[in-house]
Amino acid sequence: MSSDFVAAIDLGSNSFHMVVARITDGHVQILDRLREMVQLAAGLDDHNRLSAQSQQRALDCLARFAQRLRHIPAARVRIVGTNTLRQARNSAEFVARAEQTLGHRVEVVSGHEEARLIYLGVAQSVGHVAGQRLVIDIGGGSTELIIGEAFDPLHLASLRMGCVSVSRDCFADGRVTASRLRQAELLVQLHLEPVREEYLARGWEMVTGASGSIKAIQDVIVREGWSREGITLDALRRLRGALLETSDTAGLVSRWQLEPPRARVFAGGFVVLHGLCETLGIEHLEVSEGALREGLIYDLLGRIRHEDVRDRTIADVIRRFTLDQAQAERVSATALDLLRQVRARWGLAGKEARNVLERAARLHEIGLLLSHDQYHKHGAYVLQHADLPGYSRDDQLLLSVLVRRHRRSFPADAFAALPKAWARPARRLCTLLRLAVVLHRGRSSEPLPPITLQVDRQRLHLLFPAGWLAAHPLTRADLQIEAAMLARAGFALRWGDAKGSHGQVPPPTSA
C-alpha cells in the first residue's frame, strides 16, 4: 500500500471506528470504514478500572483492525482514545497492550481536544453555513458541544455523560419506566446546568449532530415517519412516548430492528439528545456522516502538509502569555544546533524529537507569568493541565516534564512517568535544553560563538573557541553548577577549548 494512504482509529467509549482514506491531489477519498460496538465504558467497575473481559473484547477488535494498518507508515496513522480511557485508572495498561496489538502509538486526548477533532470532522463533511454552527456529538461516556464558524471551533465543552454511562446509571437492566426516564432527564439537566446560559448567549444558525447515537435516533424517527430529514424536537417528544410503550431492550430490537448492543444504550443516548434539545431550545438538527475519525484524518493531513495545529497552538500560547520571544528563539536555536550535532549518536534523528525540543525550548519560560520563583514548576503545571489544541495527554506530559526539568534538580528518575518509548529520548532532549538555557542565561542579544558538542553515551564534551570561556567567567561558573546537576542524572559534562578540558565530573552511574 503506498504512502498516499492514511488511517484513523477512534477508540470510543461505545464503539471503535476505523477510517482508511487516500490523499489525492490534496483531497481526502474515504476508502474503507470499520466499526465495532465494543462498549468499553460498560467495562468500568466501581473503582474506574477496566475489567479483563472488556479489555480483551477491545483487543480482539483491534487485532482485526490491525490487518488494515499493516502497510501504512506510522506517520500516516492516528489512533486516539476518549472518555473511558481518560477515566480508567488502568488506562496505561490497556494502552500498552493496544499499541502492541496495533503496532502504532495510541494517544489519549482531552475532552476539549476530542471536541476540536469532532468539529473538524463535521465541518469537512457537511455544507457550509453562514454564521455559527452548534455541533453535538453523543459518545459512550461523554457528550461534546462545539460552537464554531466555518472550519474554526470557537467554544468547546465536554460533558461527562453519554449513551453508555446514562444507560448504565438509569436503565441498567434494559427496562424503561416513567420514573427511570425522569431520573435520567434530571441527570442530564444537572450536567447541562453549568453551560446552558453560556451557550444560549452565544447562539448559532444551525445545529448538527454526529456519531452513532444520533444516527440511530434519526433512523428510528425516519422509520416511524415522524421526520423526513434530520431530527426535530417534536419527533423526539413522540419518541419519548414510544420508548415508554416499548419498555425494554428486547422491544427496541424487535420494533426498530436495532442491533442488540445499540439497543442496550439507545435510551441513554435518547435522553441526552432530548435533554439538550429541550434545554437549548433546539427545534431541528441535521445529522453528519463525519465525526471524530474524519477529524483525525483531516488533522493528520494538516501535519503531512506541515500545517500542524500544534505549531499554531505554541504560537498562540507565546502570544497569550507574553513570553520573551527573543530569548525563546535564542534558546531554541542553540538547542536545535546541539541536537543536530548529536542526533545520530543519541538516536534522536526523527522529526518528532526535533519538534518536541523546539516546542519545549520556546515554552520553557511560560511559568514566569505566575512567578520567577520556581517558574519551571509553574510552567510544567500549566503545560500538563491547559487545553492545548492538537496535543494528546502524553504529548502535554512530555512538554511538561521537559519544562519542569530544564533547570535546577535533574534526578535520574525524572522521566519515569513518560511512555516507555520516550523515557530515554526525553532525558537526552532535556539535557540539550538545559545546556541551551545555561548558555543563554545572560539573555544577551550577542550571538554565541560556534560551539561543538561531542557525546559518547552519557558523556558530553562542549568545545568553545580558544579564549572564549576565559572571557566569560560567568558562563564557566554556570557550567560548573550544571555539571553537578547532570551528574545526579548519570551524565558527565566536560568543557574546554583547543588547549584543554575543564570541569570534569565523576563517571556517570548508568549508561
Side-chain angles (χ1 to χ4, degrees):
M1 188 174 288
S2 79
S3 60
D4 290 338
F5 290 82
V6 294
I9 297 179
D10 163 17
L11 306 181
S13 299
N14 187 45
S15 300
F16 285 4
H17 294 261
M18 181 166 77
V19 172
V20 178
R22 181 170 56 199
I23 309 302
T24 305
D25 297 327
H27 299 288
V28 175
Q29 178 186 13
I30 302 295
L31 300 178
D32 199 5
R33 297 179 187 270
L34 298 174
R35 176 184 70 91
E36 292 193 26
M37 293 187 69
V38 174
Q39 297 191 329
L40 195 62
L44 285 173
D45 63 19
D46 294 338
H47 301 288
N48 269 354
R49 295 185 65 84
L50 284 169
S51 68
Q53 182 182 13
S54 66
Q55 290 193 52
Q56 192 57 54
R57 187 168 63 243
L59 293 169
D60 290 343
C61 167
L62 296 182
R64 291 185 284 273
F65 283 7
Q67 183 178 341
R68 291 292 280 114
L69 300 178
R70 197 167 294 160
H71 303 293
I72 302 179
R76 290 177 170 262
V77 176
R78 284 200 69 193
I79 305 164
V80 301
T82 57
N83 185 71
T84 295
L85 293 180
R86 291 194 290 267
Q87 283 186 265
R89 296 177 64 183
N90 57 342
S91 175
E93 168 196 320
F94 172 77
V95 166
R97 297 176 68 190
E99 289 179 335
Q100 185 175 17
T101 300
L102 291 164
H104 291 275
R105 181 188 174 206
V106 174
E107 308 169 55
V108 179
V109 296
S110 69
H112 272 66
E113 176 63 3
E114 180 182 356
R116 182 188 74 84
L117 291 166
I118 288 167
Y119 184 85
L120 180 59
V122 170
Q124 294 281 359
S125 303
V126 297
H128 174 72
V129 59
Q132 296 189 155
R133 180 195 304 272
L134 170 64
V135 172
I136 299 170
D137 185 291
I138 301 171
S142 65
T143 293
E144 278 63 50
L145 303 177
I146 314 102
I147 294 176
E149 190 166 356
F151 298 110
D152 297 319
L154 304 175
H155 190 69
L156 310 94
S158 181
L159 308 177
R160 289 182 61 176
M161 61 176 181
C163 64
V164 176
S165 57
V166 173
S167 296
R168 182 185 57 205
D169 292 343
C170 302
F171 312 105
D173 61 0
R175 294 177 58 245
V176 180
T177 66
S179 61
R180 289 181 176 188
L181 205 52
R182 286 193 296 270
Q183 176 193 358
E185 289 165 346
L186 179 59
L187 179 65
V188 170
Q189 289 173 24
L190 288 171
H191 280 289
L192 290 173
E193 187 177 17
V195 301
R196 176 181 179 274
E197 294 302 324
E198 185 176 10
Y199 270 75
L200 287 172
R202 290 177 180 271
W204 49 81
E205 301 300 320
M206 179 175 287
V207 182
T208 303
S211 292
S213 284
I214 290 179
K215 290 180 180 178
I217 290 169
Q218 177 181 242
D219 289 345
V220 168
I221 285 172
V222 170
R223 178 184 291 271
E224 292 285 354
W226 297 331
S227 175
R228 291 186 177 180
E229 188 175 349
I231 299 171
T232 65
L233 181 55
D234 178 67
L236 289 174
R237 289 168 178 164
R238 297 174 73 171
L239 180 53
R240 185 184 188 278
L243 274 175
L244 288 172
E245 293 172 3
T246 307
S247 79
D248 61 19
T249 300
L252 296 177
V253 171
S254 62
R255 179 168 180 175
W256 292 313
Q257 285 72 61
L258 296 175
E259 302 173 55
R262 174 60 65 190
R264 286 194 290 270
V265 298
F266 185 85
F270 163 77
V271 173
V272 173
L273 182 60
H274 184 214
L276 278 165
C277 291
E278 292 280 11
T279 301
L280 299 180
I282 298 169
E283 296 287 340
H284 179 270
L285 67 151
E286 64 174 4
V287 179
S288 167
E289 286 298 317
L292 174 58
R293 48 270 179 198
E294 287 78 15
L296 282 169
I297 292 289
Y298 284 99
D299 197 61
L300 182 58
L301 180 58
R303 296 184 182 188
I304 293 169
R305 292 172 168 174
H306 306 292
E307 300 167 357
D308 195 331
V309 68
R310 293 175 295 182
D311 293 325
R312 190 163 68 244
T313 294
I314 298 300
D316 289 344
V317 169
I318 290 173
R319 184 167 53 253
R320 187 191 324 158
F321 285 80
T322 60
L323 301 184
D324 184 342
Q325 292 197 47
Q327 176 69 357
E329 289 170 7
R330 285 190 288 266
V331 171
S332 175
T334 296
L336 293 178
D337 182 58
L338 297 176
L339 173 64
R340 177 187 56 78
Q341 299 180 56
V342 304
R343 61 189 178 188
R345 291 190 66 87
W346 265 6
L348 300 173
K351 184 173 69 173
E352 194 61 21
R354 185 188 189 283
N355 290 341
V356 167
L357 180 59
E358 181 179 14
R359 291 160 182 163
R362 294 182 68 195
L363 294 177
H364 76 280
E365 292 190 327
I366 189 174
L368 287 174
L369 177 73
L370 300 178
S371 168
H372 183 274
D373 185 39
Q374 301 196 35
Y375 74 86
H376 54 303
K377 295 182 180 179
H378 303 320
Y381 182 87
V382 170
L383 290 175
Q384 185 173 351
H385 298 286
D387 289 317
L388 300 180
Y391 285 85
S392 69
R393 290 197 312 184
D394 283 345
D395 289 337
Q396 291 190 222
L397 179 61
L398 177 57
L399 275 182
S400 171
V401 172
L402 290 174
V403 168
R404 171 69 175 83
R405 298 300 176 185
H406 86 268
R407 66 193 289 261
R408 303 278 179 89
S409 64
F410 192 41
D413 63 350
F415 303 93
L418 292 177
K420 188 175 181 180
W422 270 109
R424 173 177 285 189
R427 291 177 73 237
R428 292 176 168 178
L429 290 175
C430 193
T431 302
L432 300 177
L433 175 59
R434 291 175 69 96
L435 291 176
V437 169
V438 166
L439 293 170
H440 289 284
R441 188 176 179 190
R443 311 182 83 86
S444 172
S445 59
E446 180 182 340
L448 291 173
I451 299 172
T452 300
L453 174 60
Q454 300 171 346
V455 296
D456 179 11
R457 302 182 75 184
Q458 305 291 84
R459 293 174 171 81
L460 300 89
H461 193 179
L462 283 170
L463 294 173
F464 296 84
W468 191 88
L469 279 173
H472 294 81
L474 282 178
T475 299
R476 189 168 53 192
D478 286 335
L479 287 172
Q480 186 71 51
I481 295 170
E482 182 61 21
M485 294 286 186
L486 289 177
R488 297 172 190 168
F491 290 95
L493 173 64
R494 298 167 57 201
W495 57 92
D497 54 33
K499 294 182 179 179
S501 299
H502 309 279
Q504 187 170 2
V505 299
T509 57
S510 61

